[in-house]
Amino acid sequence: MFNFRQLLMLFSLIILNHGQASASDIAKEKRWAEQISDSLLDGESISLKAGKQEFMAIFTESANTSNERAIILLHGLGVHPDWPAVIHPLRVGLPEHNWSTLSIQLPVLANGVDIHEYGPLFKQAAPRIQAATEYLQSQGSRSIVLVSHSLGAAMASWYIATQKNTQIKGLVTIGLSDLELPPDINILNSIEKIQLPLFDLYGSRDLDSVLHSAAARKKAAIKSANKDYQQKRITGADHFFNNYDDALVRTVYGWLKRYFKP
C-alpha cells in the first residue's frame, strides 16, 4: 500500500507525463527548422513567436511582389511546413498566381503517438495561427485565407469556429475528416459554426475517414446555412494528392479566384 509521500510522487509523475504528452516536441521542431533552412530553394525561413514560444515559418512572396493577398498554410499530422505532399506544391505554386504563402510549423508530438494525443495541441496551434496572421498584416496583407491539410484542416476548422474577431477571410480544408478527438473538439460542430467561405476538398481515393464523413460535413454546412460552402472531390486523388500536384494547385486557385478578386 502506498504511503502519502509515495502517492504524492506518483501523482506528480502522472502530471509531468501528461504535460509532456500535451506539449509540442520542440526539439523536433528545431531539428526540422535547421534542416529546412539549410536546403530551402524557394521562399524565406523566418521565426515567429506565439507567446514565449518561437516557431518556424516559410514566407514565399507572390510573383507580383504584392502581399495584399496571402495564404497561411497548415500541414498535417506530425510533419513540417515544407512537407513534399500537398504543402510544398501549394507553398510554391500559389505565389505564381499572385498569392503570397506563409507555411507555419504547427505543434507536433513524437513519432508514433496516437492522434487522440493531439487534442491539447489544438489550443497551442491557435496563437501560432494568430501570430502568422499578424505577420502577414505587417507585410501589407488584407485578404488572408487559411489553406489546410488533414489534421491541420481540423485545427483550422476549430480555430475559425472558436476564435472571435479573427482576420481570416476564408478557409480551404483538404482531406478533412470527422476525427475522434476530445468532446470539446468536434469537427462537425466546428463546421456548423463557420460562416466564412469554406472549400471542402478531398480525393476520390482519400482515407476512409474522409470519404465516410463527406456527407456529414456537407450536412453540417447546410445546418449552418453557410451559402459560401463548397465541397469538391478530385477523381483519382488520394489523401496526399500524389501525382495530382498541378490539379491541387489549380483547383485551390480556382476557388480563391472566385471569392477574392485581384
Side-chain angles (χ1 to χ4, degrees):
M1 180 175 292
F2 292 110
N3 60 36
F4 177 78
R5 182 181 295 274
Q6 290 172 320
L7 285 172
L8 183 60
M9 292 178 62
L10 179 61
F11 179 74
S12 299
L13 182 61
I14 292 172
I15 293 298
L16 177 61
N17 288 336
H18 176 75
Q20 291 175 337
S22 302
S24 183
D25 188 335
I26 301 302
K28 177 189 284 189
E29 289 193 35
K30 290 181 177 179
R31 288 195 302 273
W32 277 340
E34 293 173 357
Q35 294 169 5
I36 292 171
S37 297
D38 290 342
S39 61
L40 197 62
L41 297 177
D42 300 286
E44 175 189 5
S45 177
I46 63 174
S47 179
L48 298 179
K49 182 173 287 189
K52 296 181 179 180
Q53 182 61 59
E54 292 188 358
F55 64 97
M56 182 188 69
I58 306 172
F59 180 64
T60 310
E61 198 168 47
S62 69
N64 66 0
T65 67
S66 169
N67 299 318
E68 184 175 349
R69 300 182 302 164
I71 300 295
I72 298 174
L73 278 172
L74 304 183
H75 61 72
L77 177 68
V79 296
H80 57 67
D82 200 32
W83 195 249
V86 178
I87 298 303
H88 178 82
L90 290 170
R91 184 180 74 75
V92 302
L94 290 175
E96 295 178 2
H97 296 285
N98 297 324
W99 281 83
S100 299
T101 60
L102 182 65
S103 186
I104 70 171
Q105 178 67 64
L106 292 171
V108 294
L109 296 178
N111 295 340
V113 172
D114 190 272
I115 193 169
H116 299 90
E117 298 290 335
Y118 271 82
L121 270 62
F122 275 60
K123 293 181 180 179
Q124 295 177 34
R128 297 194 183 197
I129 298 172
Q130 181 59 34
T133 302
E134 292 172 359
Y135 173 81
L136 288 174
Q137 289 177 319
S138 74
Q139 300 300 306
S141 301
R142 296 295 175 264
S143 296
I144 302 175
V145 177
L146 279 180
V147 178
S148 52
H149 178 236
S150 199
L151 181 64
M155 288 180 169
S157 301
W158 178 85
Y159 176 83
I160 295 298
T162 58
Q163 301 300 305
K164 296 180 180 179
N165 303 318
T166 178
Q167 300 302 306
I168 303 299
K169 304 299 183 184
L171 171 62
V172 178
T173 61
I174 303 168
L176 177 64
S177 63
D178 183 15
L179 299 169
E180 294 184 6
L181 292 164
D184 61 331
I185 303 174
N186 184 290
I187 304 307
L188 297 180
N189 287 349
S190 293
I191 294 175
E192 289 181 12
K193 297 175 182 177
I194 295 174
Q195 293 301 313
L196 297 177
L198 170 56
F199 189 26
D200 179 358
L201 179 63
Y202 65 105
S204 65
R205 296 174 52 240
D206 218 311
L207 302 178
D208 287 344
S209 58
V210 177
L211 298 173
H212 294 164
S213 64
R217 298 195 306 273
K218 189 172 185 178
K219 184 178 180 179
I222 293 173
K223 189 174 181 180
S224 74
N226 186 348
K227 296 180 180 180
D228 292 320
Y229 171 87
Q230 180 185 356
Q231 186 178 83
K232 183 178 179 63
R233 182 177 68 176
I234 294 185
T235 302
D238 60 18
H239 188 61
F240 299 101
F241 282 74
N242 289 306
N243 302 316
Y244 282 79
D245 290 353
D246 291 342
L248 174 62
V249 174
R250 185 171 60 250
T251 301
V252 171
Y253 172 63
W255 181 86
L256 290 168
K257 186 168 61 173
R258 173 183 176 184
Y259 284 98
F260 303 94
K261 305 297 182 183

